[in-house]
Amino acid sequence: MQVSAESAASPRVLEHIAGLDPYEPGLSIVEIREKYGLDQIIKLASNENPLGTSNLVIDAIRAGASGVFRYPRGGNPALVRAIAEWHKVPAENVVVGDGSDEIIDMLIRMTAKKGDNIVCFNPCFALYPSQARVADIEIKRARLKDDFSFDLEELLRLTDENTRLAFLTTPDNPTGYCPPEDDVRRFVRELGAKAPRALLVIDEAYMDFAPDEKASSLLASGELPANAAFLRTFSKSFGLAGLRIGYGIVPENIARAFWAARLPFSVNILAEEAVLAALRDEAFREKTLSVVREGREILSAGLARAGCEVFPSSANFIMFRPPVAKPREFFEELLKRGVIIRRLKSYGLPDYFRVSVGSPRENELFLKAVGEILNGSNTGEPA
Ligand SMILES: *Cc1c(COP(=O)(O)O)cnc(C)c1O
């Protein structure tokens, strides 16, 4: 079949959409296995759960499989109730989405139109600026400080009467930085005074990995400011990334609008069953948190010993800079050894990398590969 070349009569995509590039996810295991002909690959690129998925979840998905010919219930009431109980917040403030990605996209589309603006940091989680671009909304970005902590004064300075959303990621991706709770509290207040129509989105995708969640999260402290929305996800500490389910604790008027504007069945029936089971499996979650916290120490110490600059992390990943002139080669040497991590070039940090905390064995293999590369990089030969 021949597809005819674009002509003046071809259907057109809007100009601001036609120029977009697809989101660049971490490399996949299959991709690297095929390219380098390896049998064993470890993937520490996408901050997934090092323990996999809870057995209770797998049983729940099996049990739910025969029901997939049904549509989910509108508004996912069982799920909303369970999340509200988990956080001890009113169900009226809870929204769920096809990953928290969907909620980010919806918040942008629900609150901003052309002429408005959104503020966030640079670098930050790629989805805030990318979905703002899809919606054709101006994005104003404040640089992180040199140590990658938040310059909240600068972020506030960028806001004006047309600012509709401000994004904070706590702990931050890709840096791992987590601001003191008081800084966030002050920023919510100052934003409210300077830009009364702006909503502060506090993305807490990694908050449960923080050394002290209560001391770092307004949500965990039970504070729900009227101009703040909190985002969490089941993709990381609950091990459900592939099922796509995230949630928000948001002001009630935002929640009402969300339910009316979202695609009606974006959270599927198996994701719902999986979450209800995951919330019951306290042991799996505790194990995940302890494996991640211990692994984080081991990786940080090991990377520092190998001569890397390592940034403190409150999340399930670590940002670091290896002592190499050619970061691309460092990355490829890791791939040759079957280790996939995340290059931060697309975040504007070409010399930096992000590695997810893996299982004890994965962490060990990763550190061994790093040691080989950094000690024998002149020969380029695997040890
Ligand atoms: C992983 C991640 C999310 C969660 O995405 P899902 O769509 O729920 O998988 C949200 N925000 C940040 C900063 C993340 O890193």
Side-chain angles (χ1 to χ4, degrees):
M1 188 184 83
Q2 196 159 8
V3 179
S4 58
E6 196 177 321
S7 75
S10 301
R12 288 302 162 106
V13 174
L14 294 173
E15 213 171 300
H16 74 276
I17 300 285
L20 299 175
D21 291 318
Y23 176 76
E24 216 180 278
L27 297 173
S28 79
I29 291 185
V30 178
E31 223 173 317
I32 297 307
R33 186 184 290 139
E34 284 171 4
K35 181 164 174 201
Y36 294 96
L38 299 161
D39 2 295
Q40 190 193 250
I41 306 282
I42 61 171
K43 182 182 174 216
L44 300 174
S46 302
N47 308 334
E48 293 146 348
N49 194 309
L51 302 181
T53 303
S54 137
N55 285 326
L56 287 192
V57 167
I58 293 168
D59 291 345
I61 292 173
R62 283 217 179 89
S66 61
V68 297
F69 68 101
R70 299 272 183 214
Y71 279 100
R73 269 183 74 188
N76 305 96
L79 194 51
V80 165
R81 220 168 23 246
I83 292 167
E85 278 167 24
W86 180 262
H87 282 289
K88 303 188 172 53
V89 297
E92 289 72 22
N93 295 103
V94 176
V95 297
V96 298
D98 183 11
S100 44
D101 289 358
E102 184 191 18
I103 306 176
I104 292 167
D105 184 56
M106 285 293 300
L107 287 174
I108 294 172
R109 292 194 289 136
M110 284 163 49
T111 60
K113 60 179 170 20
K114 215 170 159 65
D116 296 336
N117 68 68
I118 288 172
V119 300
C120 62
F121 281 115
N122 192 9
C124 71
F125 183 47
L127 220 69
Y128 318 143
S130 73
Q131 296 319 107
R133 257 175 243 127
V134 170
D136 206 11
I137 310 296
E138 184 192 357
I139 310 143
K140 302 206 275 183
R141 303 183 70 176
R143 271 176 50 97
L144 294 178
K145 293 183 180 170
D146 289 341
D147 63 356
F148 294 103
S149 64
F150 289 171
D151 190 344
L152 290 167
E153 289 84 50
E154 180 60 13
L155 195 64
L156 188 68
R157 203 186 58 75
L158 290 183
T159 64
D160 59 28
E161 68 279 8
N162 295 322
T163 301
R164 295 294 173 260
L165 291 174
F167 282 99
L168 283 189
T169 318
T170 63
D172 192 24
N173 178 10
T175 67
Y177 172 75
C178 190
E181 193 187 30
D182 268 341
D183 289 10
V184 179
R185 192 175 282 120
R186 184 166 353 101
F187 185 76
V188 184
R189 204 168 50 234
E190 290 171 348
L191 181 73
K194 187 170 178 202
R197 285 189 55 189
L199 178 71
L200 175 63
V201 182
I202 306 174
D203 186 341
E204 297 193 344
Y206 301 99
M207 186 53 93
D208 34 7
F209 299 114
D212 185 351
E213 182 178 347
K214 267 258 161 57
S216 310
S217 163
L218 296 186
L219 174 61
S221 303
E223 293 173 48
L224 302 179
N227 61 335
F230 297 88
L231 299 182
R232 296 246 179 159
T233 178
F234 288 99
S235 295
K236 314 283 163 52
S237 60
F238 288 95
L240 302 178
L243 277 179
R244 312 300 309 123
I245 175 152
Y247 62 97
I249 313 291
V250 307
E252 208 177 313
N253 66 317
I254 301 274
R256 267 199 308 275
F258 179 91
W259 291 114
R262 76 154 190 168
L263 291 173
F265 306 115
S266 66
V267 173
N268 72 75
I269 208 163
L270 291 182
E272 187 159 32
E273 290 303 324
V275 165
L276 295 174
L279 289 173
R280 282 196 305 270
D281 198 344
E282 198 59 54
F284 178 83
R285 222 178 85 83
E286 286 306 317
K287 184 88 200 293
T288 297
L289 298 183
S290 69
V291 164
V292 166
R293 288 180 182 137
E294 282 164 30
R296 187 164 65 198
E297 297 306 313
I298 289 167
L299 283 183
S300 299
L303 284 167
R305 256 198 317 277
C308 300
E309 185 182 6
V310 182
F311 296 85
S313 172
S314 297
N316 65 340
F317 54 82
I318 292 167
M319 184 171 81
F320 68 99
R321 182 167 60 165
V324 295
K326 297 187 174 152
R328 200 175 62 89
E329 286 178 10
F330 173 79
F331 184 61
E332 276 169 12
E333 287 299 321
L334 281 173
L335 292 179
K336 279 188 206 162
R337 288 167 174 81
V339 179
I340 310 175
I341 63 171
R342 188 75 146 100
R343 265 203 91 174
L344 296 179
K345 191 164 177 246
S346 65
Y347 286 81
L349 301 170
D351 300 333
Y352 295 76
F353 294 85
R354 191 191 69 197
V355 59
S356 309
V357 179
S359 66
R361 195 174 148 274
E362 289 171 326
N363 297 338
E364 192 186 318
L365 290 173
F366 165 72
L367 287 176
K368 181 164 167 277
V370 168
E372 278 173 19
I373 295 164
L374 295 182
N375 296 329
S377 54
N378 294 336
T379 67
E381 291 294 322

